[in-house]
Amino acid sequence: MDLPRAFTIRESGHRVHNPFDSTKLATLGAALRLSPGARVLDLACGSGELLCTWARDHGITGTGVDISTVFLAGAKARATELGVGGRVTFIHDDAEGHVSGDPVDVAACVGATWIGGGVAGTVGLLRRSLRPGGMLLIGEPYWRRDPPDQATLAGCHASSRDDFLSLPDLLTHFGDLGCDVVEMVLADQDSWDRYAAAQWLNIRRWLDTNPDDDLAPEMRAELSTEPARHARYQREYLGWGVFALMDR
């Protein structure tokens, strides 16, 4: 049980595995007004930057769950680096269906709503771990601009227009699920660039040291096409944000 190797090569230098940079992650933590000792569950936590930096900056405690052994090793190293190893725990497991043994103050899935089969299912999954009056965090893409054709959909890794909502429609959808939207922090084109463009250097460094690897042709093809795809489609048409929700 692990992520495909191409994924970990592509994001090997990332601390945050989505279009949030460290500044936006810190902005989100401050916006939530987290109390020292607050318990946070982060499903599909990646390299644990959310939990580790919020433990350092806000005194939270937390548990991260992820399928990637590579990213979890980085998360544990980061916790040690920041001196918060006693506050955060990381579990190697499929986040799909994971429920905390004790209710948490914040239940998060930042950019992996596939674990619940979409936004609605992920909200339902997170609710199972949340204390009454707690907060949900959902990271999700949305359409910045209406995609005009199939090429644009494919360039945004979408099979149809319905794969994502516009920002107003996404906020309305949260309300339809019985949630108040109480905060949001949105990625911008620069933070999209920092997420996507950093992958190109990761791939190139890997290709330079692994030219004969069986995966090398696939990664070389990706490096040859991804910069233009990102510039033409992803950064222009897709937004991305983290939305804080509380049940009504």
Side-chain angles (χ1 to χ4, degrees), residues 17-78:
H17 300 281
N18 54 59
F20 249 27
D21 56 27
S22 58
T23 299
K24 289 191 178 293
L25 188 62
T27 297
L28 177 63
L32 299 181
R33 309 173 201 172
L34 298 163
S35 300
R39 290 171 45 82
V40 180
L41 173 68
D42 188 6
L43 298 184
C45 67
S47 296
E49 191 73 357
L50 181 152
L51 289 175
C52 290
T53 56
W54 289 5
R56 176 196 63 192
D57 297 340
H58 304 288
I60 62 100
T61 63
T63 300
V65 181
D66 202 273
I67 199 172
S68 172
T69 55
V70 172
F71 293 160
L72 287 179
K76 293 172 183 177
R78 183 65 165 155

Side-chain angles (χ1 to χ4, degrees), residues 185-207:
V185 178
L186 304 182
D188 54 26
Q189 288 177 306
D190 181 65
S191 47
W192 258 122
D193 292 344
R194 298 296 1 105
Y195 174 57
Q199 296 175 23
W200 311 334
L201 182 57
N202 293 338
I203 293 171
R204 176 54 194 267
R205 295 296 192 213
W206 182 86
L207 284 168

Side-chain angles (χ1 to χ4, degrees), residues 17-19 42-44 108-114 137-141 240-242:
H17 300 281
N18 54 59
D42 188 6
L43 298 184
C109 177
V110 179
T113 55
W114 53 263
L137 297 182
I138 296 284
E140 182 71 3
W240 196 91
V242 181

